[in-house]
């Protein structure tokens, strides 16, 4: 795509222009409370194919469908009792549900990658929600970045990766949750965690009244997008660093004197999640300015949002392929 990417203002005219572009089969990045999404009309195969091309995304990887409300969601997915319970507890919000596709759904096979399920979510972000309401249909949207790179939590991050490759960006504020949605597979009354994310597992377990199942068998990935190396900056990353060496810079968590940046000096996991991706980008820039240093990261507790933060950090630190 040769044309420059339009920067649409977060007002009525901008929302209308964004919805019109989606209806015409265009690609529009928009804010959600988790990360910026790269949206296309989920019913238009050509538009969805353009998402994969803009992101250089492996085509076996299915996309999340975004909707404005539960009624719209029920046009595409079959909600059983458990799914309704989860939707009413956590929507709008950072939770995606993988549910059986509804007959006659009309969603492109490129969105579901040929599976008989669909991942669906209702974002809470006011601007993203306004766009979905105006468009009044299903919007397929992965994170608005080149596949495998750090996810975008500001409109500027989107433009860094995708300027000239997509039609427009709806220019909102930075995302306040800062990590992607939690993904759950619902089958009968069994609920499996496919990806840790913005809603902590403990809170979901309290809602459904029993433990989540975990899918960790690498031979049968339930969420094909869970690639081992992902979210990767250029610099090498070392996790759980209590001390760090002269050729490293430290991304801190909790009280620590010598960090270059601190995800949360007071040890607040919400603050750390909101800062994670933008600080990874900044640390990457600083590491390269300092002659190719590595990034050491303080230990992050493995509960609540820490589970999602550690999942992203482990992928960022994984050997690159
Ligand atoms: O917060 C989010 O979820 C963001 C914003 C933009 O909504 N979106 C996002 O999308 O993170 P993406 O494409 O980066 O991740 C989608 C994940 C992938 O891991 C994919 O494999 C999984 O959802 N997924 C989609 N459909 C699925 C299905 N039918 N069954 C299992 N996993 C599915
Ligand atoms: Mg992504």
């Amino acid at each position: 795509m040769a044309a420059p990417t339009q920067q649409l203002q977060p007002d009525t005219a901008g929302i209308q222009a964004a919805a019109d572009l989606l209806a015409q089969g265009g690609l529009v990045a928009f804010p959600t409370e988790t990360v910026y999404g790269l949206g296309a009309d989920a019913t238009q195969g050509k538009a969805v194919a353009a998402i994969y091309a803009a992101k250089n995304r492996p085509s076996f990887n299915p996309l999340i469908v975004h909707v404005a409300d539960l009624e719209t969601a029920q046009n595409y997915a079959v909600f059983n009792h458990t799914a309704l319970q989860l939707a009413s507890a956590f929507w709008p919000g950072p939770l995606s549900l993988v549910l059986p596709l509804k007959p006659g759904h009309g969603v492109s096979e490129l969105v579901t990658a040929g599976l008989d399920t669909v991942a669906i979510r209702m974002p809470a972000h006011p601007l993203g929600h306004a766009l979905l309401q105006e468009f009044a249909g299903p919007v397929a949207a992965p994170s608005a970045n080149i596949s495998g790179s750090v996810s975008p939590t500001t409109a500027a991050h989107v433009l860094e990766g995708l300027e000239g490759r997509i039609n427009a960006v709806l220019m909102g504020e930075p995302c306040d949750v800062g990590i992607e949605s939690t993904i759950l597979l619902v089958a009968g009354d069994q609920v499996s965690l496919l990806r840790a994310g913005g809603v902590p597992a403990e809170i979901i377990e309290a809602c459904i009244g029993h433990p989540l199942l975990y899918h960790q068998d690498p031979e049968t990935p339930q969420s094909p997008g869970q690639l081992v190396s992902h979210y990767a900056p250029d610099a090498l990353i070392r996790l759980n660093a209590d001390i760090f060496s002269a050729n490293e810079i430290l991304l801190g968590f909790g009280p620590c004197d010598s960090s270059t940046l601190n995800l949360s000096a007071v040890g607040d996991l919400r603050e750390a999640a909101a800062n994670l991706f933008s600080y990874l980008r900044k640390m990457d820039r600083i590491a390269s300015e300092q002659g190719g240093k590595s990034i050491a990261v303080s230990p992050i507790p493995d509960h609540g949002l820490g589970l999602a933060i550690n999942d992203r950090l482990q992928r960022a630190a994984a050997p690159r392929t």
Side-chain angles (χ1 to χ4, degrees), residues 174-196:
C175 306
D176 58 1
V177 174
I179 42 176
E180 292 85 349
S181 60
T182 302
I183 304 181
L184 299 178
L185 171 69
V186 181
D189 63 358
Q190 294 205 325
V191 184
S192 308
L193 183 70
L194 301 189
R195 178 177 75 185

Side-chain angles (χ1 to χ4, degrees), residues 33-34 90-96 121-124 177 179-183 197-199:
E33 72 277 32
T34 59
F90 299 109
W91 282 3
L95 180 74
S96 298
R121 108 174 180 90
M122 184 197 309
V177 174
I179 42 176
E180 292 85 349
S181 60
T182 302
I183 304 181
V199 182

